[in-house]
Amino acid sequence: MDPDWLVFHPNPTRPSFRLPAGSVDAHCHVFGPAAEFPFAPERKYTPCDASRHQLYALRDFLGFERNVVVQATCHGNDNRAMVDALVHSGGRARGVASVSRDVTDAELRAMHEAGVRGTRFNFVRRLVDFTPREVLADIARRIAPLGWHVVIYFEAQDLPELWDFFTSLPTVVVVDHMGRPDVSKPVDGPEFGLFLRLLAEHPNIWSKVSCPERLSKSGPPTYDDVVPFARKVVESFPDRVLWGTDWPHPNMKSHMPDDGLLVDYLPRIAVTPELQRKLLVDNPMRLYWAD
Ligand code: 0GY
């Protein structure tokens, strides 16, 4: 089973930006190892193995203290690799799962005990098959009593159609990667304006300002065209933003980012120590380590 996308950067640069003490990498993944945790038959891509050992070595190298491990579509609703990473983290990792409507309360409770604090709904068509909204609404209703939130991943052009569903969710809602804006459009234009309005009008909606490497058209190493978008979100909603490396960068086909340089991108989008502390420490701690 050969991977069909690039392998993560083998020896990232040591960042020059010193992360605030207690920083959380709030969007990253573990994949396999496939021999132990097989990939889902319905997956749309096959990643390379990216183990918890490798993830935690990167955490220490970059200067993070904690991780939020997000279930990716290549593992479907089989959360075992992610949960295994949480239970071997010494309490330094929390997780976001992907579950089906028939998950039992006992299974949800066991995941909560392991450190899961959210479930992810993916609307990116190249990544998943369609799930009816009423199924997702049912899942949201089931996880809400645990205090979990919903992570949503979608593309900017689909926001108008998804708006009513997103704003009807009963939990905190975290948008992955700023709703994937088309950064060749203006930051003060109507498309990104709609996304900003989503957050302005709904105080339960948060945004990750991660993944310049996915959104950029100007490219590495500085991803200049994404900076104004992320900076705008950080400065408009400083108490509702999160950031993560997205290691090991699934599905990247154009280039593989240097994770150290991604850390060096941070002070360009969160330009004061206070904004950096909120983005990297206070906000993820409030959402994932409240207890
Ligand atoms: C990401 C982005 C991607 C993949 C997934 O669940 C996934 O497979 O989210 C992507 O291909 O854009 O956040 O990891």
Side-chain angles (χ1 to χ4, degrees):
M1 188 167 48
D2 290 332
D4 53 16
W5 52 279
L6 298 169
V7 174
F8 53 87
H9 199 294
N11 47 3
T13 311
R14 192 174 291 281
S16 9
F17 174 61
R18 275 202 56 188
L19 289 162
S23 285
V24 181
D25 176 352
H27 186 95
C28 51
H29 310 284
V30 288
F31 295 143
E36 197 180 347
F37 302 112
F39 299 116
E42 73 276 15
R43 70 188 180 280
K44 309 295 185 206
Y45 63 87
T46 299
C48 64
D49 284 342
S51 72
R52 62 179 162 84
H53 303 284
Q54 290 166 309
L55 176 64
Y56 297 150
L58 181 75
R59 172 198 67 198
D60 295 342
F61 176 77
L62 296 176
F64 286 99
E65 195 118 323
R66 295 180 172 83
N67 298 90
V68 179
V69 185
V70 177
Q71 180 75 359
T73 55
C74 54
H75 273 302
N77 291 336
D78 178 352
N79 296 284
R80 283 177 299 162
M82 181 269 293
V83 166
D84 176 71
L86 305 189
V87 300
H88 290 97
S89 71
R92 291 167 69 186
R94 295 287 198 236
V96 174
S98 183
V99 300
S100 68
R101 182 189 231 171
D102 48 14
V103 66
T104 65
D105 286 338
E107 286 166 336
L108 290 175
R109 174 57 54 191
M111 281 194 273
H112 188 86
E113 294 298 322
V116 173
R117 293 292 181 269
T119 190
R120 191 176 192 213
F121 296 163
N122 203 318
F123 300 88
V124 177
R125 276 180 271 262
R126 65 185 160 77
L127 290 172
V128 283
D129 299 322
F130 178 76
T131 305
R133 301 284 143 76
E134 63 270 21
V135 172
L136 299 176
D138 202 34
I139 294 169
R141 193 182 50 72
R142 297 276 311 287
I143 58 101
L146 291 161
W148 289 15
H149 57 274
V150 172
V151 172
I152 51 177
Y153 191 30
F154 62 94
E155 305 198 81
Q157 75 267 16
D158 296 326
L159 179 56
E161 187 220 321
L162 291 163
W163 179 283
D164 288 346
F165 177 67
F166 292 163
T167 57
S168 72
L169 289 167
T171 61
V172 166
V173 175
V174 180
V175 178
D176 275 342
H177 320 329
M178 302 184 287
R180 293 191 65 97
D182 177 348
V183 299
S184 65
K185 295 183 178 167
V187 67
D188 55 358
E191 190 177 271
F192 200 56
L194 187 70
F195 176 68
L196 295 172
R197 189 152 76 77
L198 182 72
L199 270 76
E201 292 179 1
H202 299 278
N204 65 318
I205 303 188
W206 296 37
S207 179
K208 288 179 201 161
V209 290
S210 40
C211 275
E213 74 281 10
R214 276 181 205 289
L215 304 174
S216 179
K217 299 188 198 297
S218 62
T222 50
Y223 308 115
D224 295 333
D225 51 351
V226 189
V227 170
F229 290 80
R231 190 171 165 181
K232 176 77 186 166
V233 178
V234 169
E235 291 177 1
S236 305
F237 310 101
D239 298 311
R240 287 187 270 148
V241 283
L242 301 170
W243 191 86
T245 56
D246 193 37
W247 186 90
H249 314 285
N251 252 330
M252 283 295 291
K253 302 218 161 64
S254 59
H255 72 286
M256 195 37 74
D258 176 331
D259 298 281
L261 298 183
L262 284 178
V263 170
D264 284 341
Y265 165 88
L266 279 164
R268 300 172 64 213
I269 66 167
V271 301
T272 67
E274 192 194 355
L275 288 171
Q276 291 160 7
R277 191 177 34 78
K278 286 175 181 243
L279 175 65
L280 296 161
V281 186
D282 297 353
N283 299 343
M285 288 307 289
R286 208 162 73 249
L287 195 58
Y288 289 98
W289 276 272
D291 49 356

